[in-house]
Amino acid sequence: MAKTKEENAANVIDKTVIIDTRPAGRFNAEAPEPRQGVRGGHMPGAINIPFMDLLDSSSTSKTLKPKDELKQIFTKAGVDIENESTPKIIVSCGSGMLACLVAVALEECGRDPKGTFVYDGSWTEWGLDPDTPVVK
């Protein structure tokens, strides 16, 4: 299920986990955004798990890492994928496409997909809007 900018803004203040899959440099506003006019930084409360960290670098086809490794990555980032106290996870990226990879990785780890949402507008929509809060 995709989430809108308005729904994401409301989720900033509740227990929803927001995962941003962009590279750390963009997440931390240390590297420029590739789209003109998009601010650097991230949504308040977002956790950075770069999508490349989930890919098996030894594979020529760029497949996901094994499930145990994926679980370790999520756990290290503070995402409790098996706990019902995390009823909603919203995944964001630059434009909405790579967030889908993280949603698949969460499901591969055993998370019920009914509680995982892709923010289809992602950082492009959020970062372009001067009224949305941004952490740098």
Side-chain angles (χ1 to χ4, degrees):
M1 246 188 221
K3 286 292 192 181
T4 66
K5 180 178 59 177
E6 290 75 18
E7 290 170 310
N8 282 332
N11 286 323
V12 166
I13 58 173
D14 71 13
K15 300 286 184 197
T16 298
V17 172
I18 300 171
I19 299 173
D20 186 322
T21 70
R22 294 174 300 140
R26 290 172 56 199
F27 178 84
N28 294 315
E30 296 166 349
E33 286 296 321
R35 293 164 189 87
Q36 186 175 7
V38 176
R39 297 174 292 167
H42 58 273
M43 290 180 236
I47 297 169
N48 186 223
I49 302 177
F51 77 94
M52 289 297 290
D53 291 356
L54 305 177
L55 299 180
D56 185 347
S57 61
S58 67
S59 169
T60 57
S61 62
K62 298 293 185 209
T63 59
L64 287 172
K65 289 181 176 178
K67 183 180 358 180
D68 290 342
E69 289 182 45
L70 293 173
K71 284 184 175 183
Q72 288 176 359
I73 291 167
F74 289 121
T75 300
K76 184 179 177 184
V79 178
D80 186 0
I81 59 172
E82 297 178 8
N83 190 332
E84 290 186 18
S85 69
T86 309
K88 288 193 296 187
I89 295 177
I90 297 173
V91 188
S92 177
C93 60
S95 63
M97 292 175 26
L98 293 174
C100 296
L101 173 72
V102 178
V104 168
L106 287 164
E107 186 173 355
E108 180 69 19
C109 291
R111 180 166 174 81
D112 184 348
K114 293 177 189 169
T116 302
F117 304 89
V118 172
Y119 173 23
D120 65 342
S122 280
W123 189 250
T124 299
E125 180 179 64
W126 191 275
L128 277 171
D129 187 338
D131 295 327
T132 54
V134 172
V135 177
K136 294 186 179 188

